[in-house]
Amino acid sequence: MDSEKLPEFHRADESIDHIEEAAGKFPGLRRAHARGNCYEGIFKPNGRAALFTDAPHLQSEEVSVIVRFSNSSSNPNHSDGLTPPKGMAVQFALPNNQITNLVCTTIPLFFARTPETFIEVTKLMSTAKKGLPDIKALQKIAAKFPESKAFFKMIKEIRLPASYAMAQYFSIHAFYFINENGKRQAVKYLWEPDAGLSMYTKKEAAKLLHNYLDEELDQRLSNGPIGFNLNIQLGKENDPTDDPTVVWPGDRQQITIGHLAIHRKMDKCPEDLFFDPTVVPRGIECSEDPILHFRHHAYAVSYDRRLKNK
Ligand code: HEM
């Protein structure tokens, strides 16, 4: 069956229509995280993940990566100071011309548990002005979808990072690591910056330039590479693997499994660069999380529209 005929495709198409209604239409650009830059780097695994997975990029050989840091807004004209969550999408080059993606944000949870909720919420958001959330729309959402409350509370409190290189980035979704013996372990990922964390106060944030994060990173990279440790959090038996609206308890064991060094900004992001978060290699499986699987379809719709310059 042609994948474009699947019900998931039609729902994904609808969801992208709602994003466009809410934020505006910007031909050729991503329908979310519209403004961003790409960077080249090297990821060095430290071997500690080998106990849990035989994924090729998590053994002992270093691999090259492309990283895209982005402002989360679907409107490229929104300034870095307006939308607190930031994105870090990493594409690892694997042997035999294969790739895998790890697409993370600075917030550890999501507002929707299911694609249906996502679509309803984007519909409500499309009533807001210029795609920026308005209080009434948010109140309606919180009343109808109590699971989204934690996200909106966090969004209200979250501060802006002083640098893309001084923020943590979370996978939100769980994945399964599978080792040589077929043993499965649920994990979530977290990128931890070498430079530590630094956030702006609201007062400081009000004075920031439209694209202060891009400028700051240019400046920082002119003094040398920036780095992140890649950590995994090990899930326990009853930790939900299908619900992106909740975080796992903070006492779960964390292991550092490698280090990423980012050396250079690319002149331009390759047009066909595509970070489908469900592209995983041998040794890793996507969890049952319906939002993770829906992203596969929604990103494909956005990719198709932007490549056709729609
Ligand atoms: C129903 C849920 C979601 C939908 C419909 C959605 C939609 C989208 C779309 C349409 C794009 C642009 C894709 C492209 O043109 O290549 C995008 C990019 C992105 N999304 Fe989501 N998203 C969802 C959930 C999430 C979650 C949970 C995260 C955090 C883990 C996330 C993080 C990102 C990031 C970092 C990018 C930028 C990727 C890049 O640099 O190419 N999204 N999203």
Side-chain angles (χ1 to χ4, degrees), residues 108-113 172-173 188 242-246 289-291:
L109 40 72
F110 197 54
F111 58 85
R113 190 182 284 149
I172 300 182
H173 308 289
K188 288 191 178 189
D242 60 353
D243 187 349
T245 66
V246 293
D289 187 334
I291 290 287

Side-chain angles (χ1 to χ4, degrees), residues 15-16 19 30-33 68 70 87-89 103-105 110 118 170-173 273-275 291 294-295 298-299 302-303 306:
S15 75
I16 300 297
I19 292 178
R30 285 165 172 76
R31 267 36 180 192
H33 294 256
R68 183 173 181 270
S70 56
M88 177 180 175
V103 188
C104 296
T105 61
F110 197 54
F118 179 84
F170 305 86
S171 67
I172 300 182
H173 308 289
L273 184 64
F274 182 37
F275 292 97
I291 290 287
F294 187 65
R295 286 175 74 189
Y299 287 37
S302 171
Y303 179 72
R306 68 178 158 92

Side-chain angles (χ1 to χ4, degrees), residues 141-215:
I141 292 164
K144 192 158 180 200
F145 306 107
E147 71 271 25
S148 67
K149 261 190 200 148
F151 175 90
F152 289 116
K153 184 168 182 285
M154 205 175 268
I155 281 287
K156 238 172 99 184
E157 288 162 7
I158 191 177
R159 288 188 294 143
L160 291 161
S163 166
Y164 278 129
M166 299 188 82
Q168 292 172 309
Y169 297 86
F170 305 86
S171 67
I172 300 182
H173 308 289
F175 292 83
Y176 291 107
F177 275 9
I178 299 141
N179 72 10
E180 285 171 343
N181 306 319
K183 187 164 182 277
R184 290 155 71 82
Q185 169 66 53
V187 303
K188 288 191 178 189
Y189 297 94
L190 163 65
W191 290 106
E192 193 76 60
D194 292 355
L197 302 181
S198 177
M199 304 290 152
Y200 282 126
T201 62
K202 280 198 176 136
K203 212 170 158 192
E204 287 166 330
K207 296 183 205 144
L208 297 171
L209 287 177
H210 170 80
N211 62 342
Y212 77 93
L213 283 168
D214 299 331
E215 303 226 333

Side-chain angles (χ1 to χ4, degrees), residues 1-295:
M1 186 179 177
D2 180 348
S3 72
E4 299 211 349
K5 303 274 162 52
L6 291 169
E8 290 80 1
F9 175 84
H10 294 294
R11 283 189 309 166
D13 214 35
E14 189 190 342
S15 75
I16 300 297
D17 288 344
H18 291 313
I19 292 178
E20 288 177 359
E21 279 156 32
K25 199 168 168 176
F26 302 94
L29 298 186
R30 285 165 172 76
R31 267 36 180 192
H33 294 256
R35 190 161 52 78
N37 287 303
C38 290
Y39 302 82
E40 288 171 348
I42 297 288
F43 177 73
K44 281 190 191 162
N46 61 15
R48 294 187 70 196
L51 195 61
F52 304 102
T53 173
D54 60 355
H57 61 307
L58 300 180
Q59 306 305 305
S60 52
E61 299 289 309
E62 63 180 38
V63 294
S64 59
V65 301
I66 297 180
V67 180
R68 183 173 181 270
F69 287 112
S70 56
N71 192 34
S72 55
S73 179
S74 298
N75 181 335
N77 305 317
H78 281 167
S79 78
D80 289 343
L82 271 180
T83 40
K86 306 298 166 200
M88 177 180 175
V90 181
Q91 187 161 97
F92 300 83
L94 305 181
N96 305 324
N97 284 332
Q98 306 231 302
I99 53 141
T100 181
N101 299 318
L102 179 53
V103 188
C104 296
T105 61
T106 49
I107 189 159
L109 40 72
F110 197 54
F111 58 85
R113 190 182 284 149
T114 63
E116 290 71 25
T117 308
F118 179 84
I119 290 171
E120 281 236 28
V121 171
T122 43
K123 246 195 254 175
L124 284 170
M125 297 286 239
S126 63
T127 61
K129 280 186 217 116
K130 295 185 201 144
L132 288 173
D134 87 4
I135 296 295
K136 272 195 190 145
L138 291 184
Q139 280 168 344
K140 269 195 210 165
I141 292 164
K144 192 158 180 200
F145 306 107
E147 71 271 25
S148 67
K149 261 190 200 148
F151 175 90
F152 289 116
K153 184 168 182 285
M154 205 175 268
I155 281 287
K156 238 172 99 184
E157 288 162 7
I158 191 177
R159 288 188 294 143
L160 291 161
S163 166
Y164 278 129
M166 299 188 82
Q168 292 172 309
Y169 297 86
F170 305 86
S171 67
I172 300 182
H173 308 289
F175 292 83
Y176 291 107
F177 275 9
I178 299 141
N179 72 10
E180 285 171 343
N181 306 319
K183 187 164 182 277
R184 290 155 71 82
Q185 169 66 53
V187 303
K188 288 191 178 189
Y189 297 94
L190 163 65
W191 290 106
E192 193 76 60
D194 292 355
L197 302 181
S198 177
M199 304 290 152
Y200 282 126
T201 62
K202 280 198 176 136
K203 212 170 158 192
E204 287 166 330
K207 296 183 205 144
L208 297 171
L209 287 177
H210 170 80
N211 62 342
Y212 77 93
L213 283 168
D214 299 331
E215 303 226 333
E216 196 279 342
L217 201 50
D218 288 349
Q219 178 66 34
R220 190 177 282 264
L221 281 170
S222 70
N223 293 322
I226 62 162
F228 292 85
N229 274 330
L230 180 57
N231 294 347
I232 48 168
Q233 193 185 15
L234 302 183
K236 287 198 170 168
E237 207 180 326
N238 292 323
D239 291 339
T241 48
D242 60 353
D243 187 349
T245 66
V246 293
V247 293
W248 287 349
D251 64 355
R252 296 294 180 259
Q253 191 186 354
Q254 268 201 34
I255 303 175
T256 299
I257 60 170
H259 183 263
L260 169 65
I262 297 173
H263 299 103
R264 199 181 78 82
K265 186 178 186 178
M266 298 171 80
D267 296 335
K268 207 170 165 261
C269 286
E271 248 177 47
D272 59 353
L273 184 64
F274 182 37
F275 292 97
D276 175 344
T278 64
V279 175
V280 289
R282 174 194 87 220
I284 303 179
E285 262 177 28
C286 292
S287 63
E288 311 77 359
D289 187 334
I291 290 287
L292 174 59
H293 293 277
F294 187 65
R295 286 175 74 189

